[in-house]
Amino acid sequence: MVSQRSLLGFNENGSTKLNKEDRMPEFNRLRSSQRAKKEHASLLEDFREFDRTRLDLEDGGGSYDQALLKERATLNRSTGQVDSVISQAQETLKSLVFQRSTFGGINSKLSNVSSRLPTVNHILSAIKKKKSMDTIILSLLAAVCTFLILIYWWTK
């Protein structure tokens, strides 16, 4: 029979069975589930408000001016949300442009230094050769592994 202490994650001497690494996936799953439920509740609340406004218009409840004011408030909130998304996109664009100029400056400085000092140019070319050789070796290894997996799959 399973005791309640063992279901809670404790063993006979009172220490926990699971360590932090074992609990992190469960914690992350619960946290993402909680976020999804909050987003769902927020969407439902927005829909209920929209539905109330629609019912008021259909039933003739409240004045027409009041319904227009509610719709205007909804449009203003939507416009505010769109403005915040656009401002985030503009900030991202500025950041990317800055990164591009930074990396472009680094590239021009490296080419300037390599043209002035032949030793640095030789070192940079050796680094490029090593990098291309590593890329070729990894590509060949991936191709061989894929080929062996296919052969194993076909013979099975």
Side-chain angles (χ1 to χ4, degrees):
M1 180 172 174
V2 177
S3 70
Q4 187 174 5
R5 286 181 61 84
S6 66
L7 287 175
L8 293 174
F10 292 97
N11 58 16
E12 295 80 28
N13 61 6
S15 65
T16 59
K17 291 180 187 176
L18 302 173
N19 56 17
K20 184 179 178 182
E21 292 81 25
D22 295 335
R23 293 182 181 155
M24 282 306 288
E26 180 69 15
F27 174 74
N28 290 335
R29 185 187 65 79
L30 289 173
R31 184 171 44 181
S32 65
S33 173
Q34 181 187 20
R35 284 183 189 151
K37 287 180 182 178
K38 282 182 181 179
E39 290 175 4
H40 185 262
S42 172
L43 289 173
L44 283 177
E45 185 61 36
D46 289 343
F47 177 74
R48 286 184 192 124
E49 183 179 320
F50 171 75
D51 201 33
R52 279 188 222 117
T53 304
R54 186 177 56 96
L55 285 175
D56 286 345
L57 287 174
E58 287 175 355
D59 295 339
S63 69
Y64 182 72
D65 292 337
Q66 187 178 15
L68 287 176
L69 288 173
K70 285 182 180 180
E71 188 167 340
R72 181 178 179 171
T74 304
L75 287 174
N76 284 338
R77 279 196 304 272
S78 297
T79 304
Q81 290 174 349
V82 168
D83 286 342
S84 70
V85 169
I86 289 173
S87 67
Q88 287 176 353
Q90 288 174 341
E91 289 297 321
T92 304
L93 177 65
K94 287 178 187 176
S95 175
L96 290 173
V97 167
F98 176 73
Q99 288 178 5
R100 183 178 186 181
S101 66
T102 301
F103 288 133
I106 290 171
N107 191 21
S108 65
K109 287 177 186 176
L110 278 177
S111 63
N112 188 17
V113 168
S114 66
S115 66
R116 290 186 183 180
L117 302 171
T119 307
V120 173
N121 191 19
H122 177 67
I123 292 172
L124 289 176
S125 65
I127 290 172
K128 287 180 185 177
K129 287 179 186 177
K130 175 71 174 162
K131 183 179 174 185
S132 65
M133 184 60 84
D134 289 346
T135 303
I136 291 171
I137 290 172
L138 285 174
S139 300
L140 288 174
L141 180 66
V144 167
C145 289
T146 305
F147 181 70
L148 291 175
I149 289 172
L150 287 174
I151 288 175
Y152 175 75
W153 184 55
W154 284 332
T155 59
K156 193 173 181 184

